[in-house]
């Protein structure tokens, strides 16, 4: 068997480093750490992608929280509550009539915004 390895090393000189036990152990260690270990490089890549996605979600939700808290501060005023209810939910007082006028440009903008979502 040893003669077979010598013939193999003579045919392929780039495999000569396999004759040294330290290189073999180093090669096995690198393969183990990259592919076989619980904390392998491949597992770290997957986990890093998940971390990036979660950080992006965190930024998005923090911006949404900031927008909502600004709206909450605006709605502390009673006049703003009434304005918001009239504009958003088309509410009215008992003695009022409401006429909703929609322009063609507004319909186009709304349809574009809905298509983007």
């Amino acid at each position: 068997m040893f003669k077979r390895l010598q013939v193999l090393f003579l045919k392929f000189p780039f495999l000569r480093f396999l004759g040294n036990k330290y290189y073999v152990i180093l090669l096995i260690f690198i393969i183990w750490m990259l592919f076989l270990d619980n904390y392998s490089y491949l597992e770290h890549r997957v986990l890093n992608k998940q971390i990036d996605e979660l950080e992006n979600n965190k930024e998005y939700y923090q911006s949404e929280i900031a927008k909502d808290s600004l709206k909450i501060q605006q709605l502390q005023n009673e006049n703003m509550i009434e304005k918001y209810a009239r504009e958003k939910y088309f509410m009215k007082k008992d003695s009022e009539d409401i006429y909703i006028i929609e322009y063609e440009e507004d319909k186009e903008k709304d349809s574009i915004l809905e298509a983007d979502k």
Side-chain angles (χ1 to χ4, degrees):
M1 173 140 170
F2 185 68
K3 289 187 179 191
R4 287 185 189 171
L5 288 176
Q6 283 181 343
V7 171
L8 187 64
F9 291 155
L10 289 175
K11 281 186 180 179
F12 303 105
F14 62 90
L15 294 177
R16 195 172 247 163
F17 71 92
L18 291 177
N20 191 340
K21 65 180 175 184
Y22 296 109
Y23 287 123
V24 173
I25 291 172
L26 181 64
L27 183 65
I28 291 171
F29 176 74
I30 289 172
I31 291 172
W32 180 268
M33 292 307 288
L34 287 179
F35 302 109
L36 303 175
D37 193 37
N38 286 337
Y39 303 106
S40 68
Y41 174 72
L42 300 175
E43 186 69 26
H44 274 282
R45 286 185 51 199
V46 170
L47 293 174
N48 284 337
K49 285 180 184 179
Q50 289 178 354
I51 288 171
D52 290 339
E53 289 177 13
L54 291 173
E55 285 176 352
N56 289 339
N57 286 345
K58 178 183 171 184
E59 290 174 7
Y60 169 75
Y61 287 123
Q62 284 178 340
S63 66
E64 291 296 316
I65 287 171
K67 288 178 188 177
D68 291 342
S69 63
L70 182 63
K71 281 189 177 184
I72 288 171
Q73 286 177 351
Q74 289 176 348
L75 291 176
Q76 296 295 327
N77 186 356
E78 199 161 311
N79 292 333
M80 290 301 289
I81 293 174
E82 183 177 341
K83 179 182 175 186
Y84 184 78
R86 288 173 180 266
E87 290 176 359
K88 186 77 174 174
Y89 298 108
F90 305 115
M91 292 184 168
K92 65 179 184 83
K93 294 181 181 176
D94 290 336
S95 62
E96 290 181 335
D97 290 330
I98 294 181
Y99 299 99
I100 300 172
I101 301 172
E102 292 187 11
Y103 296 104
E104 191 65 34
E105 296 110 24
D106 293 339
K107 289 181 182 179
E108 291 173 6
K109 288 179 186 176
D110 289 341
S111 65
I112 291 172
L113 290 175
E114 288 178 9
D116 288 342
K117 290 181 182 179

